[in-house]
Amino acid sequence: MRNFLVVALGFLMATLLLLIIGRNPVKMYEAILQALTGISQNRQGDWIWNPRYTGEWLVSSIPLILCGLSMGFAARTGLFNIGAEGQFIAGLTAAQFIALVFPPIPAIPVLHCIVAVMGAVTAGAMWGGIVGFFKARFKVSEVVATIMMNYIALYMHRILTLRIPGSNTFRTPDFPATATLASPLFASLTNDSRLNHSLWLVLAALVIYWLIMKKTRLGYSLRATGLNRDAALFGGINVHMNITAAMAIAGAFAGLAGASVSLGVFPHGRVLAGMEGYGFDGIAVALVGNSNAWGIALAGLLFGMLKSAQPLMQTRMIPREITAIIMGLIVVFIALRAGLKLLAEWQLKKKARGNKP
């Protein structure tokens, strides 16, 4: 409930900002409504419905939710996974490479796509697991290590992708139909939007996240490690294994996000010139969602809605940067709330110490 109030405060501040610069905030909310539901008003004043906007909203939200799960899973174990971006790139690279280099099996066409997706998950898990191993074995800061791994992933992506026959500095050849996540059914239901079978993948990922954290012994040990590492160690929990496993599973979620974008959104592979930002946005999604599976889902849908509303705002003379401001304000307010809570706890402890005889 508190996070809903923080989100409302972020929108309120954005509304005041638009009034200050002389823009009509109603236009911003019209763009958000159109991105969310597909309902808009044309120049003649008639209300029309185009489900394509709803499909594009979900497309924008899927990688944000998956990268939010990546950040959230590590956070529940007391780790700060700022490397979801590199794990996303590792998954994207593996998915593209498998889709284009490995031949499909005519007898089982769907196997090609499954192998490509699993390859992305494995690549992301390996990229995160490396950091987890060094953190557990040598106490290397996961923040520093993941930042470095982000850049290694980006440049390795460019080297490997450019070696695919027919690739240039911008794109690869088109994917074979057996390797894509495209869904003709979803496209027909949403007026030719790019909504694809990644929708099922993100739903499965949310359920897996919830099951691991709430219903398994592994999840209990991971949460115990995150709450108090020393107490978990003395309680017989293998802390080193948990740290490595947590980063590997977090990387798997980000790798799946890479597959969802590469195989679901584009008909061809891409040669990235820079980082796409999904992993960094996932940090904000996890913070707003409180590292809870369903909270992350709602936060990812919120941020995806804001991103998909950007071009709609421009057509209404609203600066598209206002969406980034809303996202930033929400994160700042959540951080301030956490800071005030820590300050209040510190003052209570100080008062308690002062009252001792």
Side-chain angles (χ1 to χ4, degrees):
M1 184 61 184
R2 293 177 181 176
N3 282 4
F4 282 110
L5 295 176
V6 169
V7 170
L9 185 58
F11 277 96
L12 176 61
M13 295 298 292
T15 301
L16 294 175
L17 179 60
L18 288 175
L19 289 173
I20 291 172
I21 65 175
R23 302 296 172 87
N24 185 0
V26 174
K27 299 295 182 181
M28 177 184 74
Y29 292 105
E30 286 180 356
I32 290 174
L33 176 66
Q34 185 176 359
L36 186 63
T37 65
I39 298 173
S40 62
Q41 197 172 22
N42 61 19
R43 294 180 179 179
Q44 289 74 33
D46 299 324
W47 291 95
I48 57 176
W49 177 58
N50 186 350
R52 185 176 189 277
Y53 294 104
T54 303
E56 292 298 323
W57 161 47
L58 294 174
V59 168
S60 299
S61 303
I62 287 171
L64 295 177
I65 294 172
L66 290 170
C67 288
L69 293 176
S70 176
M71 171 62 188
F73 197 93
R76 296 294 293 271
T77 320
L79 301 169
F80 192 78
N81 181 24
I82 203 171
E85 185 71 19
Q87 295 146 19
F88 168 89
I89 294 173
L92 180 145
T93 305
Q96 292 183 168
F97 197 85
I98 293 172
L100 292 167
V101 174
F102 289 86
I105 301 175
I108 316 175
V110 71
L111 187 61
H112 195 191
C113 182
I114 292 174
V115 172
V117 171
M118 293 308 299
V121 171
T122 303
M126 290 178 60
W127 213 251
I130 291 172
V131 175
F133 172 77
F134 282 105
K135 171 71 175 180
R137 182 68 177 82
F138 303 107
K139 298 183 179 180
V140 176
S141 169
E142 74 274 15
V143 175
V144 176
T146 49
I147 290 173
M148 296 171 65
M149 293 289 282
N150 286 343
Y151 289 97
I152 296 172
L154 175 62
Y155 294 118
M156 284 190 65
H157 156 81
R158 291 185 61 84
I159 292 170
L160 293 173
T161 307
L162 287 172
R163 291 183 177 274
I164 297 175
S167 300
N168 55 38
T169 55
F170 300 101
R171 55 164 289 176
T172 69
D174 288 345
F175 293 130
T178 55
T180 68
L181 289 166
S183 171
L185 175 61
F186 285 153
S188 64
L189 291 175
T190 57
N191 196 19
D192 291 329
S193 77
R194 297 176 296 173
L195 186 61
N196 56 79
H197 290 302
S198 297
L199 181 63
W200 307 119
L201 297 180
V202 74
L203 291 174
L206 286 165
V207 172
I208 290 170
Y209 184 105
W210 178 80
L211 286 174
I212 291 177
M213 281 298 173
K214 297 294 185 181
K215 301 296 181 180
T216 65
R217 181 180 298 177
L218 173 62
Y220 172 81
S221 64
L222 290 174
R223 287 184 283 115
T225 302
L227 289 172
N228 191 318
R229 194 168 297 176
D230 293 331
L233 183 63
F234 283 109
I237 294 174
N238 190 336
V239 172
H240 290 177
M241 185 195 74
N242 283 345
I243 292 173
T244 305
M247 286 301 297
I249 296 172
F253 285 123
L256 183 60
S260 73
V261 172
S262 60
L263 301 180
V265 178
F266 297 94
H268 54 78
R270 293 172 302 142
V271 182
L272 302 180
M275 297 184 187
E276 303 224 294
Y278 288 112
F280 301 124
D281 288 339
I283 297 173
V285 170
L287 288 173
V288 175
N290 201 27
S291 297
N292 176 275
W294 311 115
I296 289 171
L298 292 175
L301 290 171
L302 170 66
F303 283 23
M305 178 189 67
L306 291 172
K307 285 183 174 292
S308 60
Q310 285 182 334
L312 300 175
M313 290 184 184
Q314 283 187 305
T315 63
R316 293 169 168 82
M317 304 302 294
I318 300 294
R320 61 180 295 163
E321 291 78 13
I322 195 68
T323 59
I325 291 173
I326 294 173
M327 293 164 64
L329 285 171
I330 292 171
V331 174
V332 168
F333 289 144
I334 287 178
L336 284 175
R337 189 189 68 189
L340 291 174
K341 182 180 178 182
L342 289 174
L343 179 62
E345 291 176 352
W346 176 77
Q347 288 178 337
L348 288 174
K349 291 179 180 178
K350 183 179 179 181
K351 185 178 179 179
R353 287 195 297 268
N355 292 335
K356 287 183 178 180

